[in-house]
Amino acid sequence: MIKKIFLNRDISFIFFGQVLSQAGDSIYYIALLWLVLEKTGSTELTGIFGSLNFLPYLIFTIPGGILADRFSKKFIMLSSDFLRFLLVFLLFYLLSRDLFSLFIIGLITFSIESFSAFFYPSRDALIPHLVEKEKLSHANGLIQVSWQMASLLGPALAGVLLNYLKIVDLFSIDALTFLLSFLLIFLIKKEKFLKEKREKPIKSFKEGIKYAFKDPLIRIILIITFLNNLILMGPAVVGMPIYVKNILEKEVFHYAFLESAFAGGAIIGAPLIIYLGKRFSFSKLLLFGIFLDGITYLPLFFIKDFPWALLTIFFHSIFIPMVTVSRTTIIQSYVPEKYLGRVISLFQFAVIGGAGISSILTGYLAKYISMDCIFLIMSLAASSCAIPGLFSKSIKNYKN
């Protein structure tokens, strides 16, 4: 039964490593955003620091994809985890000694996410080395569940620990999770390399860009992905602590448990998309998921009570895997292996880059527009991102 769920030992190592490290990330982001909001009282600064979780991808995710196509993906993942462990522990050390500096915190946060930009293209490009093509959606579903379990456990654990610990103590827990993830990834078998001539990095980058924008299916999904994240992710990430504090008038542990609600529904949604993927095209499921992912934020415009907000986020999160699992499975099964790391990095560039810009805009707009109104506008705009895909022949013709 366990083997059927986790497919093989290597996928299980990735799964549990991601649960640990991403749970630590959830704790880290909660502590970081609330600490900045509490110390400065500025929604603009909160938005800027929220963007530091994303903006490094604009710089490093493409180089990360190039490296993933040229070198050992396992080694890149190990190096990234170890360096992130050192950086988070350094941040904990400084804050525990009351050395609060927005510049230092921002620099360390930027550096942590820079190494993450190298980690994720390698992880997603490694998956096809570990499972058969027909099991890719299952493996991606597990990765999605690992993220959602982490999103559930991390904020819930943060909410409990904040009754006994200071906010700065949460950073030490995040540091430990990266070290544990490092040990699990170390146990994964080494992947096999394609025996092809390695081009120079600049030429390799140009080839990856040329392939992605020349192929009609990859091009339309890439454009939709960027637009959707540009609209949706700022309110979803930076907007949540502002919504909890200013609209619901609640405290940090309410924010932590609201964040954990994102995981509950998605744990249901991940197996659902694996089931639906056997019956429908992943490209059609992707478009339907984008519509539902956006429109399910609409109730937050009307809701002013914490329990209803919790229920809304839980329901919304059911449809997150419909977007993420479908998109990743299409890329892994459709893109030739020699381009895979670079194409994956382009999509992560679109996701995280769009989210970074969106975070800054959200923090700025929250000064002039109430957060519930921002959720209303975002919901309608984000759901409409599915419309261009309805007219795409490549999406209509795609088959699993």
Side-chain angles (χ1 to χ4, degrees):
M1 182 66 178
I2 297 296
K3 186 176 180 180
K4 186 177 181 180
I5 293 173
F6 291 107
L7 299 176
N8 58 55
R9 65 188 293 275
D10 293 322
I11 293 295
S12 67
F13 288 148
I14 291 180
F15 174 84
F16 288 110
Q18 291 298 276
V19 169
L20 288 168
S21 64
Q22 292 181 113
D25 282 344
S26 298
I27 294 171
Y28 177 89
Y29 297 142
I30 287 170
L32 176 72
L33 294 180
W34 196 270
L35 191 66
V36 172
L37 187 60
E38 187 178 66
K39 292 282 188 180
T40 67
S42 170
T43 59
E44 286 177 293
L45 280 174
T46 304
I48 290 172
F49 272 81
S51 73
L52 292 178
N53 298 330
F54 307 113
L55 290 183
Y57 287 81
L58 291 172
I59 303 172
F60 296 113
T61 194
I62 300 299
I66 293 172
L67 289 180
D69 284 337
R70 293 167 64 88
F71 301 105
S72 167
K73 300 166 185 62
K74 177 180 174 180
F75 178 77
I76 295 170
M77 293 165 69
L78 287 171
S79 301
S80 177
D81 266 351
F82 187 71
L83 290 167
R84 288 185 290 177
F85 156 72
L86 292 177
L87 286 166
V88 178
F89 187 80
L90 174 62
L91 183 58
F92 162 70
Y93 176 83
L94 294 173
L95 291 175
S96 64
R97 280 153 179 76
D98 294 324
L99 299 174
F100 181 85
S101 165
L102 288 176
F103 175 76
I104 295 298
I105 293 173
L107 181 62
I108 292 176
T109 298
F110 184 89
S111 300
I112 291 168
E113 293 309 315
S114 296
F115 291 118
S116 296
F118 287 94
F119 181 92
Y120 292 115
S122 290
R123 182 199 67 184
D124 290 346
L126 181 63
I127 297 296
H129 287 262
L130 306 179
V131 297
E132 298 86 353
K133 183 178 180 180
E134 61 271 17
K135 294 182 179 179
L136 279 174
S137 64
H138 189 148
N140 291 320
L142 283 172
I143 297 300
Q144 177 70 43
V145 168
S146 73
W147 173 51
Q148 297 302 340
M149 284 185 65
S151 300
L152 176 65
L153 295 173
L157 182 60
V160 172
L161 290 176
L162 284 170
N163 291 310
Y164 307 98
L165 303 174
K166 298 177 182 179
I167 289 181
V168 296
D169 295 326
L170 298 183
F171 294 107
S172 66
I173 296 172
D174 185 32
L176 177 61
T177 63
F178 280 122
L179 188 59
L180 293 173
S181 175
F182 173 91
L183 295 174
L184 287 169
I185 292 170
F186 182 78
L187 298 174
I188 295 172
K189 67 183 180 182
K190 189 174 181 180
E191 74 275 17
K192 296 180 180 178
F193 292 103
L194 286 173
K195 294 182 178 180
E196 294 186 4
K197 182 181 177 181
R198 292 178 178 176
E199 303 289 350
K200 293 181 179 180
I202 297 298
K203 186 175 181 180
S204 179
F205 166 69
K206 289 180 179 179
E207 285 185 349
I209 294 287
K210 183 178 179 181
Y211 168 80
F213 283 94
K214 187 176 180 181
D215 187 280
L217 177 65
I218 297 301
R219 182 175 64 243
I220 185 64
I221 296 177
L222 188 61
I223 292 170
I224 291 173
T225 296
F226 176 74
L227 291 175
N228 184 245
N229 282 273
L230 181 65
I231 295 167
L232 184 145
M233 286 303 291
V237 176
V238 173
M240 274 302 156
I242 299 171
Y243 176 76
V244 171
K245 191 176 182 67
N246 296 345
I247 304 298
L248 300 182
E249 298 180 345
K250 298 296 182 182
E251 301 298 328
V252 62
F253 61 87
H254 290 94
Y255 166 46
F257 282 109
L258 193 64
E259 285 293 301
S260 71
F262 276 97
I267 291 174
I268 298 172
L272 178 62
I273 189 63
I274 295 172
Y275 171 81
L276 292 174
K278 296 176 181 178
R279 289 157 178 80
F280 302 98
S281 165
F282 280 115
S283 60
K284 293 181 176 63
L285 290 174
L286 173 63
L287 296 182
F288 191 48
I290 287 172
F291 171 76
L292 293 173
D293 190 34
I295 205 68
T296 48
Y297 271 109
L298 186 62
L300 294 181
F301 173 69
F302 305 97
I303 290 170
K304 303 297 183 290
D305 296 319
F306 178 72
W308 283 106
L310 199 68
L311 183 62
T312 297
I313 295 302
F314 177 85
F315 178 72
H316 156 78
S317 66
I318 293 175
F319 306 107
I320 293 175
M322 197 171 287
V323 178
T324 56
V325 174
S326 294
R327 184 175 61 221
T328 304
T329 302
I330 290 170
I331 297 166
Q332 290 172 338
S333 60
Y334 180 84
V335 175
E337 186 178 346
K338 65 178 181 179
Y339 295 119
L340 187 55
R342 282 163 286 177
V343 172
I344 287 172
S345 70
L346 281 173
F347 274 90
Q348 291 181 348
F349 181 93
V351 171
I352 307 298
I357 298 169
S358 183
S359 294
I360 294 175
L361 291 174
T362 300
Y364 178 78
L365 289 173
K367 276 189 71 175
Y368 307 100
I369 306 172
S370 65
M371 203 61 233
D372 51 352
C373 290
I374 291 176
F375 276 124
L376 171 65
I377 297 167
M378 176 271 282
S379 175
L380 297 174
S383 60
S384 68
C385 289
I387 294 174
L390 297 175
F391 298 96
S392 168
K393 291 183 179 179
S394 58
I395 286 183
K396 291 179 182 178
N397 295 332
Y398 174 82
K399 296 181 180 179
N400 294 351

